[in-house]
Amino acid sequence: MLFPQSVEAEVDSFCSNVAESGIVAWDCKYDEEVFLIPYGLFLAGDNPMQAEEYSHTGLNCNYICRTCEVGGTKYYKASAVRYSSLFMSGQLQTPENMMAEIRQQFEITLKSGASEKLKNSVLSTGVHNSTSSSILNMLHAAGTQAMPEAEVAAVLKKEFAELLQGDKLNNIINPLLGMEGLNMHMDTPTEILHTILLGIVKYFWGQTVFLLDKAKLMGIFQIHLKSVDTDGLNAPCLNADYVCHYKGSLIGKHFKSLAQVMPFLIYDHILSTVLNAWTMIGELVVLVWHTNIQEMAQWPGKKLVAGRS
């Protein structure tokens, strides 16, 4: 193999091999032998890392979601009628479809004029397989050399075969997409810190501070924040002096605390639309931090309402 196997490939290989034979271990609690079969439950990471894990380009493409096919062209997403569709679930992504699109990109590269076609494919679908990107780049470089158009396909196929060195195409595609029992589109939990706290909450905090400063109400806001009773709140970082002095340099723990109390601090100093938004943010933050869900049947509906709001 020209390119060394990635860590993901090793994990996939280990789980597949052990699933056939299992691991015999000793259970100290029950004083007996047990049979272990490891499998992938989920893969954590920040948004850029998760995008690479499921062969996605992230936000720099037309279809921006790793879970479903929501999105469209820039014109589509900017239109007043279709903008709201970005907040609705689309058709679910599947590892099979993702692998099929990666194979399609290789087929494009093996033809003349592949440069623009490959670029459009990545932008329009969001699919980018970093595991095989080196081979794609080499094929693309070979395809740009001056030669008769009739010879391009034959030359590129020969180059591709040499790069594979007898291996199969499937073996250079992201191994996590074919990992047994793991759906990369569903088993990569949303990374709350950057998506919620340093995303939604941070930027809405910045806009709210701008409005308070403009109305010369930041001093009153600081007094309100100082007077908050934190008993019963999961809010360890409500130091009013620090929050107001370093309002432009806060981190995740500050935003997690502020999201729980903001509606009570600004209810009579800010526009009702801003207040309503903070109320929805507070509900969303509470939902995404639950680690023990008692009413599982009602839970998806609660999250959907908070997310759409």
Side-chain angles (χ1 to χ4, degrees), residues 197-306:
L197 296 183
L198 300 181
I200 299 171
V201 182
K202 175 182 177 179
Y203 293 109
F204 213 81
W205 161 257
Q207 292 299 310
T208 305
V209 166
F210 171 78
L211 294 174
L212 291 171
D213 274 335
K214 186 176 180 180
K216 302 188 185 307
L217 293 172
M218 201 63 197
I220 296 177
F221 172 83
Q222 184 171 348
I223 294 172
H224 284 188
L225 185 56
K226 275 186 177 181
S227 65
V228 169
D229 185 355
T230 59
D231 290 345
L233 286 177
N234 183 15
C237 297
L238 280 178
N239 185 324
D241 294 335
Y242 183 93
V243 168
C244 293
H245 183 73
Y246 296 103
K247 54 184 178 289
S249 305
L250 302 182
I251 59 177
K253 62 182 181 180
H254 301 117
F255 294 123
K256 182 180 179 182
S257 300
L258 285 168
Q260 300 177 61
V261 298
M262 281 297 288
F264 306 103
L265 308 179
I266 62 174
Y267 70 93
D268 55 351
H269 299 307
I270 212 77
L271 295 172
S272 60
T273 52
V274 179
L275 177 61
N276 291 339
W278 273 111
T279 303
M280 293 299 103
I281 289 173
E283 292 182 8
L284 177 64
V285 168
V286 169
L287 290 173
V288 297
W289 249 284
H290 265 70
T291 55
N292 184 15
I293 301 172
Q294 300 295 335
E295 301 173 352
M296 181 60 76
Q298 290 79 25
W299 199 253
K302 290 181 179 179
K303 289 196 295 184
L304 184 60
V305 170

Side-chain angles (χ1 to χ4, degrees), residues 101-119:
E101 183 59 39
I102 294 172
R103 295 190 193 97
Q104 179 65 28
Q105 290 181 1
F106 273 99
E107 292 180 10
I108 292 173
T109 311
L110 294 175
K111 299 177 182 178
S112 62
S115 180
E116 195 64 26
K117 294 177 182 177
L118 185 61
K119 179 182 177 181

Side-chain angles (χ1 to χ4, degrees), residues 137-150:
N137 292 337
M138 290 182 181
L139 289 175
H140 177 256
T144 57
Q145 297 177 14
M147 67 181 77
E149 186 172 343

Side-chain angles (χ1 to χ4, degrees), residues 22 57 125:
T57 56
T125 64

